[in-house]
Amino acid sequence: MSRYSAVPLMKEGFKVIVLNDARSDATAEIIPEVGNNLFHFGSGGHSVILPPVSLHSLKSEPFADFKYGTPILFPPNRVKNGRFSFRGRTYSLPLNEPPSNHLHGEICSRAWEVLEYGATNENGAFVISRFRYGLNPDILAYFPHPLSFTLTYRLYEGRLYLNGTILNEGEDEAPFAFGLHPYFSVPFDNGEELVLKVPVTEEWPVTNEAFVTGRPEITHFSRTLSDGVQISNYPQSGCSLLTFDHGVEDRICRIEMKDRGYAIAYQIDRQFPFVVLFRPNWASAFSLEPYTYVTDAFNLSYEHELTGVKGIRAGEEIGFTTCLWIESTK
């Protein structure tokens, strides 16, 4: 019997791809039809991704497509008034957070194409999916760049890898802003000891909507996060924006559930210089969101090297990798 499997299943009328690693008692579930959302990952009896109440709610509940699971963001977070400029061109994005903001882009809600899935003992269980702007003329109408997003979820030896590429299939340089928004299930409501460790240096001053209000600086919070900070009292709807420590090669973030004897470990590669911390007010969860730029960076007056503003040239491909696993701390 094979250790790994990748199986398509129908759940609530949606096609879901289930990856399984029997030896590690690990499973991952992805719904390509709604943003290619990873809505479940569990290992060793611990389920650590916040699922939606139902898969149908991802379609029917307002904003649900980026309130559960692991939404994929382009551009991440908010764009004020939905407008920004890049290389002399002005972009006007839909105001999907009325009255005045664009929020998180559209690939987290659209259907993705499954290219391949399978399992081998050498490579684990995997599913490859793609979303192409070139097949969505309504998106091209306001963002005239045929970008192609290809993501591979791979479950191997109890760890869930996400390998992604973004390819510019067009003839012009496009503004580039990408992020991920995993919601980790964290027991805030039980009075337990919760410790967050993130290898960062500086913290950006931000509003509750994560808009930047000044330059980053070293704060007590950013200085102590590498060694561990209690987040049991982190405010609901609160957010923090921080810059990763460029000197740290392996950017591994951890949320430790001290009373339960395990930690969520999340490794983020250097393609993401920034991370947003966020505690939602609709569920007991906490987000560690890797971003390629700070919120609404194209509208900031700071130097691009500081904020992450950049483009993706015609024919250029940008790749990234993340890894998620569960560690015993007993």
Side-chain angles (χ1 to χ4, degrees):
M1 182 178 178
S2 176
R3 170 176 178 172
Y4 299 104
S5 65
V7 180
L9 295 177
M10 295 302 295
K11 290 192 172 184
E12 301 179 41
F14 295 95
K15 184 178 179 180
V16 171
I17 305 296
V18 180
L19 309 181
N20 186 62
D21 174 0
R23 188 177 302 172
S24 297
D25 186 26
T27 59
E29 298 183 54
I30 299 99
I31 178 168
E33 291 181 58
V34 188
N36 202 36
N37 191 316
L38 168 76
F39 66 91
H40 167 75
F41 173 65
S43 179
H46 303 297
S47 182
V48 299
I49 294 291
L50 176 70
V53 176
S54 69
L55 296 183
H56 279 291
S57 70
L58 290 175
K59 287 283 193 180
S60 61
E61 180 186 331
F63 306 119
D65 45 17
F66 44 73
K67 291 173 67 176
Y68 304 96
T70 307
I72 300 161
L73 314 178
F74 191 94
N77 223 299
R78 293 173 172 86
V79 177
K80 193 173 293 185
N81 299 315
R83 293 176 62 85
F84 68 92
S85 296
F86 179 73
R87 299 284 192 259
R89 172 181 272 160
T90 298
Y91 297 81
S92 296
L93 310 183
L95 300 181
N96 59 351
E97 189 188 47
S100 57
N101 295 327
H102 178 79
L103 179 61
H104 288 333
E106 293 200 64
I107 61 176
C108 59
S109 60
R110 302 285 183 112
W112 288 53
E113 175 191 9
V114 175
L115 301 179
E116 184 183 358
Y117 59 86
T120 66
N121 284 331
E122 294 75 25
N123 296 312
F126 68 91
V127 56
I128 306 171
S129 304
R130 182 175 62 189
F131 184 88
R132 299 179 68 193
Y133 276 14
L135 300 179
N136 293 269
D138 56 332
I139 294 180
L140 290 177
Y142 63 81
F143 191 88
H145 305 284
L147 302 186
S148 180
F149 302 79
T150 304
L151 298 187
T152 301
Y153 287 102
R154 184 170 73 98
L155 183 58
Y156 182 69
E157 294 188 347
R159 298 191 175 200
L160 185 64
Y161 297 84
L162 175 58
N163 300 300
T165 60
I166 299 97
L167 171 65
N168 186 348
E169 299 179 318
E171 299 179 353
D172 301 313
E173 184 178 9
F176 185 82
F178 185 78
L180 301 167
H181 200 326
Y183 286 92
F184 297 117
S185 295
V186 175
F188 279 103
D189 302 329
N190 299 330
E192 300 182 27
E193 184 180 1
L194 308 170
V195 174
L196 174 67
K197 296 181 179 180
V198 185
V200 297
T201 51
E202 297 179 313
E203 181 177 9
W204 294 75
V206 294
T207 68
N208 283 340
E209 293 183 317
F211 285 120
V212 171
T213 60
R215 286 181 169 270
E217 59 184 20
I218 296 174
T219 64
H220 176 73
F221 185 59
S222 68
R223 190 170 55 249
T224 54
L225 258 175
S226 295
D227 294 324
V229 171
Q230 291 274 359
I231 58 168
S232 306
N233 295 318
Y234 196 95
Q236 287 191 343
S237 300
C239 66
S240 308
L241 171 60
L242 302 117
T243 301
F244 277 114
D245 186 341
H246 298 297
V248 175
E249 190 65 31
D250 294 324
R251 294 176 176 170
I252 301 177
C253 310
R254 288 180 171 86
I255 304 175
E256 299 179 355
M257 270 60 70
K258 293 289 189 178
D259 300 283
R260 304 193 180 201
Y262 73 93
I264 300 168
Y266 188 41
Q267 186 171 17
I268 301 166
D269 77 16
R270 301 178 71 86
Q271 195 64 251
F272 301 97
F274 311 100
V275 62
V276 168
L277 313 180
F278 172 62
R279 180 184 173 187
N281 63 359
W282 58 85
S284 187
F286 197 78
S287 284
L288 304 174
E289 307 172 41
Y291 286 4
T292 63
Y293 83 157
V294 301
T295 306
D296 201 23
F298 289 102
N299 284 320
L300 296 177
S301 59
Y302 309 131
E303 55 270 31
H304 293 175
E305 294 79 10
L306 182 68
T307 63
V309 165
K310 66 178 181 180
I312 177 170
R313 299 181 303 275
E316 183 181 3
E317 185 176 80
I318 295 175
F320 69 90
T321 300
T322 68
C323 184
L324 173 62
W325 69 96
I326 298 167
E327 296 177 341
S328 174
T329 57
K330 293 181 179 179

